[in-house]
Every structure is written in structure tokens, then in C-alpha cells.
Amino acid sequence: MSKAFYTHLENTLKQLKEAGTYKQLQYLTGPISGKAAIEGKSNSVLLCSNNYLGLANKPELVEAGIAALKKYGAGAASVRFICGTYDIHRDLEQKIASVMKTEAALTYTSAWNANTAVIPALMGPGDAVISDELNHASIIDGCRATGKDVKKLVYKHSDMASLREKLQEAGNGNKLVITDGVFSMEGDIAPLPEILKLAKEFDALVMVDDSHATGAIGKTGKGTAEYYGLEGQVDIITGTLGKALGGAGGGFVAGRKSVTDICVQRSRPHLFSNSLPPVLAAIGLAALNYLESHPEMVASLHKKVAYLRSKLNAAGIKPLEGDSAIVPVIVGDTATSIKIAADMLNRGVYAIGFGFPVVPEGTARIRIQVSDALTYEDIDYAAKVMTEVFAAHGFAQK
Ligand SMILES: *Cc1c(COP(=O)(O)O)cnc(C)c1O
């Protein structure tokens, strides 16, 4: 037990608190919808969940989970290739493949696992991964996990001239271009048509992480490819069941059968970590079925996004532009963003201030995530509180 080490940890935590960047956990005491019951606070309008379609507490999903618990029990107690594969995994994977218009799909316990699994499983010595600079941390870790013999190239955010340069630098091995579909901190959508065109020119593969896109964009919620009318043209789609698709948890890789099969044979999270609990597979499957029969949820979500944006604009608060359900308002420094979020929460509106190192220094922001579970009254109240709190912090109110 090294005393010096623990003193070092304590000092690091103290510095975070002094800098105003220490993250305080909030404990919820019930299911989420447009509002959340937060321990010790009032019932708050929820603007920071990934529950874009409001499916997290849909009776159809909850019932599917209960039925699966009764049928399969609490858990698998095994990895997939030993005794952890259930018929419900196959049902879910076939459904994901049909929704994503790919040959096959394979589930993981999270999208984090899916990304850190598939990238090293596919790339070998002499190959190159080419990643957008704003890609999710799990993609960055997935690229790192390919080891020293795979080139790691990073292109400027959604910048096609920069991507072209990196494709030229990549050499003659296999090339995998990786992008988020919807970028989590900016709310913007990757320029998929241009990326696919460049990839074709250089005979590169394209992988899109649609974690914030599945269920949230595209006419029927099928994500970035549907948004652009390019379904079936992306080599690999990864995504999560932990956001718009009910929020329970789970991730997937969708693509050619040879891709998912190599992941079964080789990918480390698949070989060494338990399979997706059957209960989560059942909830994910119920979410996809529900979305298929209620595609109007997606249009309803986007009407609410537009309504919130119009209210904020009218108050002189100018979020970053974008077509997703993520509405970020830049406030500058990290401590200010955390203070604004705290003031909002004190008035019953729950959003998070994100600062360095999650976003670049000087671009701290309040990130609003709109959900179809919000009522128009919820949005009116949230906009009123934001207007007043932002004004109190010196952000222009017209
Ligand atoms: C949230 C997110 C993940 C992680 O999803 P989990 O299923 O919670 O692990 C991965 N990639 C992106 C782009 C995300 O936004």
C-alpha cells in the first residue's frame, strides 16, 4: 500500500475540485422519460439522456425484458463461443442486419466493446486506419489496439482534403476509414457521400459508428446511411442498443458475413468477455420492432428539436447548427459550463456542461439532447430556464 500513490490520487481529485471541473454524480431513483427523478432534487426535465425516442420506459420493451428474464434467467455466465450463445442473440443479430441492410451482424455487450473488437480484428501489419479527429474515444482505443504494425492516421474533422491526404499517406495495405455518423459533442453528421466517394477512389473500406444516429436520424431512424439515401453502401456499421434503442445496453457490428465471422473467431471482447445478457438482447430486439412499427417517432423527435432550437434562437442563444437531436451551446471555459449546468439543475432542468478534455480547451458547452419523450410544456420550461440562466451568466439575451 503505497502512501505516496494515494496522496497523489487525493491531490489530483482536489485539483479537479479547485478547478471546478470535478464531476458530481447524480442518482436517479426511477425510470427516465421527459423527466427524471433525481435523488435530493426536484423531478427535472431531462435534456442529457440518449433516450432519443423515449423508448427507455416503453411498456413493450419492459415487458419483453421481463419475459426474457423469465425464459432465460438473469444471465449467460459464459462467453459466446463456450455456452453463451442463445437463440435470442441470433434473432437480434438477424434483425440488426436487416435494419442496417447488411449481410450479417454480431452483438457485443456495448458499442465500446464492438469498436475495440472489430478494428483490431480486421487490420493487420501494413494496413492503415484513418480516423476523424473527433471520433468517439472507443474508436480511438480500437485503433490503438491494432498495435504498432498498423498505421494510425487522423484526418481533420469531416475535412475531405485532409482525408484525401491521409489516404495517400496510407500506402498499399488495407485502408479503413472510420467516422462517427453523428458526432456526439457537435451534433453534426458525417459527410458520408463524400467519404464513400473518396474511399472508392482509394479502394478503402468505410466504417461508420452510428451510436448517436441509429433511431435518431434517417426517415425511419435507420441512421446515417438512410439519412443520405446510401443504405447498404457502408462496409461496417457499429452502434449501440444503449441510446435511442431503449437505452438498456449492448452494441453491434454489422457488415459482410466474413467480417462478423472474423470477429467471432478473433475479436478479443468476443473471446474473453461474457455475451450480451439475453434480457438485453430481448429488449434491443423489442426496440427495433417497435421502431419499425412506429417510424413516426423520428419525425416527432425532429419537430421537437426544431421547436427547442427556435425558442433558443429567439432568446439570443445560438446553438451549433446541425440536423441531429444533439443541440450544443458553446460557452467557452469548462468551469462556466459546469456552473451553468448546476444553475439549470437547481431549477429543474438537467443538462451537462462538457469541458476539456472531453472537448477542446475553450469550447466548453452545454449539450442538449432532445428526446421524443419530452412534452412541449417540458421544452417551454427548459427554454425559459436556459434563457434566464444564460442571461445571468452574461450570455446575450436579445
Ligand atoms: C455512446 C457511444 C459509444 C459507446 O456506446 P456504449 O454502447 O455505451 O458502449 C460508442 N461510440 C459512439 C460514437 C458513442 O456515441
Side-chain angles (χ1 to χ4, degrees):
M1 295 283 235
S2 161
K3 186 160 180 283
F5 177 73
Y6 290 108
T7 306
H8 160 71
L9 287 192
E10 295 298 338
N11 285 339
T12 304
L13 290 166
K14 203 167 132 228
Q15 280 163 15
L16 291 175
K17 284 177 187 162
E18 281 165 6
T21 59
Y22 182 82
K23 291 175 188 64
Q24 199 69 51
L25 302 182
Q26 304 292 343
Y27 292 84
L28 306 192
T29 58
I32 52 167
S33 63
K35 293 205 175 71
I38 303 170
E39 200 172 73
K41 311 258 178 205
S42 56
N43 213 20
S44 300
V45 175
L46 188 58
L47 298 183
C48 55
S49 94
N50 300 311
N51 182 30
Y52 295 116
L53 296 176
L55 294 181
N57 196 32
K58 261 299 166 220
E60 286 84 346
L61 274 65
V62 176
E63 291 303 326
I66 292 168
L69 277 173
K70 289 190 169 148
K71 179 169 181 189
Y72 298 104
S78 176
V79 299
R80 283 288 290 269
F81 84 92
I82 303 180
C83 63
T85 297
Y86 289 74
D87 52 0
I88 190 85
H89 288 123
R90 185 178 50 216
D91 295 348
L92 172 61
E93 287 162 356
Q94 285 174 349
K95 184 75 198 179
I96 292 169
S98 102
V99 169
M100 297 298 153
K101 295 208 166 57
T102 56
E103 221 172 72
L106 181 69
T107 56
Y108 287 86
T109 51
S110 66
W112 184 286
N113 270 351
N115 283 333
T116 57
V118 64
I119 302 168
L122 298 182
M123 295 284 104
D127 295 343
V129 288
I130 308 168
S131 174
D132 188 291
E133 66 180 339
L134 294 188
N135 276 345
H136 190 262
S138 57
I139 295 174
I140 297 170
D141 278 23
C143 290
R144 286 180 182 153
T146 57
K148 66 175 175 22
D149 296 329
V150 172
K151 263 192 210 168
K152 285 131 199 115
L153 301 168
V154 176
Y155 63 96
K156 291 198 189 106
H157 177 50
S158 291
D159 179 330
M160 293 304 102
S162 174
L163 175 56
R164 174 180 287 280
E165 263 172 38
K166 300 300 166 184
L167 281 162
Q168 281 161 346
E169 243 177 78
N172 295 325
N174 297 306
K175 295 175 265 296
L176 177 64
V177 178
I178 312 174
T179 183
D180 280 17
V182 169
F183 287 86
S184 57
M185 288 297 142
E186 315 293 310
D188 58 336
I189 301 171
L192 187 59
E194 290 79 10
I195 292 173
L196 287 176
K197 212 167 128 206
L198 265 181
K200 194 165 177 201
E201 188 182 328
F202 287 86
D203 196 28
L205 298 162
V206 174
M207 168 172 151
V208 175
D209 177 348
D210 248 359
S211 291
H212 279 286
T214 310
I217 64 166
K219 196 164 180 296
T220 64
K222 290 181 182 148
T224 307
E226 187 187 34
Y227 175 84
Y228 286 113
L230 293 168
E231 286 174 273
Q233 298 190 38
V234 176
D235 292 283
I236 298 153
I237 298 172
T238 59
T240 184
L241 306 174
K243 287 182 174 139
L245 298 178
F252 61 84
V253 171
R256 294 276 181 99
K257 176 79 180 141
S258 52
V259 166
T260 58
D261 213 7
I262 280 289
C263 288
V264 171
Q265 309 306 321
R266 294 256 178 89
S267 72
R268 292 165 68 81
H270 202 87
L271 296 173
F272 298 110
S273 185
N274 261 10
S275 55
L276 180 70
V279 56
L280 298 189
I283 293 171
L285 181 57
L288 286 167
N289 286 330
Y290 192 89
L291 175 58
E292 196 166 62
S293 53
H294 298 83
E296 70 283 356
M297 290 187 297
V298 184
S300 169
L301 166 66
H302 286 279
K303 257 179 82 179
K304 289 175 185 177
V305 174
Y307 182 72
L308 176 68
R309 281 185 171 276
S310 74
K311 288 243 146 187
L312 294 180
N313 279 320
I317 298 172
K318 298 267 179 271
L320 298 181
E321 296 294 330
D323 248 0
S324 73
I326 298 172
V327 182
V329 185
I330 305 288
V331 298
D333 74 278
T334 303
T336 303
S337 73
I338 290 177
K339 189 72 181 51
I340 288 177
D343 289 352
M344 285 170 61
L345 183 56
N346 282 333
R347 298 195 47 197
V349 179
Y350 190 17
I352 295 285
F354 288 91
F356 185 78
V358 178
V359 296
E361 195 92 69
T363 69
R365 62 203 63 188
I366 303 295
R367 180 181 69 167
I368 306 299
Q369 293 174 283
V370 181
S371 168
D372 194 40
L374 293 163
T375 64
Y376 282 92
E377 292 75 50
D378 291 335
I379 298 173
D380 283 340
Y381 181 70
K384 174 173 143 45
V385 167
M386 281 186 75
T387 302
E388 291 168 13
V389 170
F390 273 69
H393 282 271
F395 289 90
Q397 188 187 351
K398 272 195 310 204

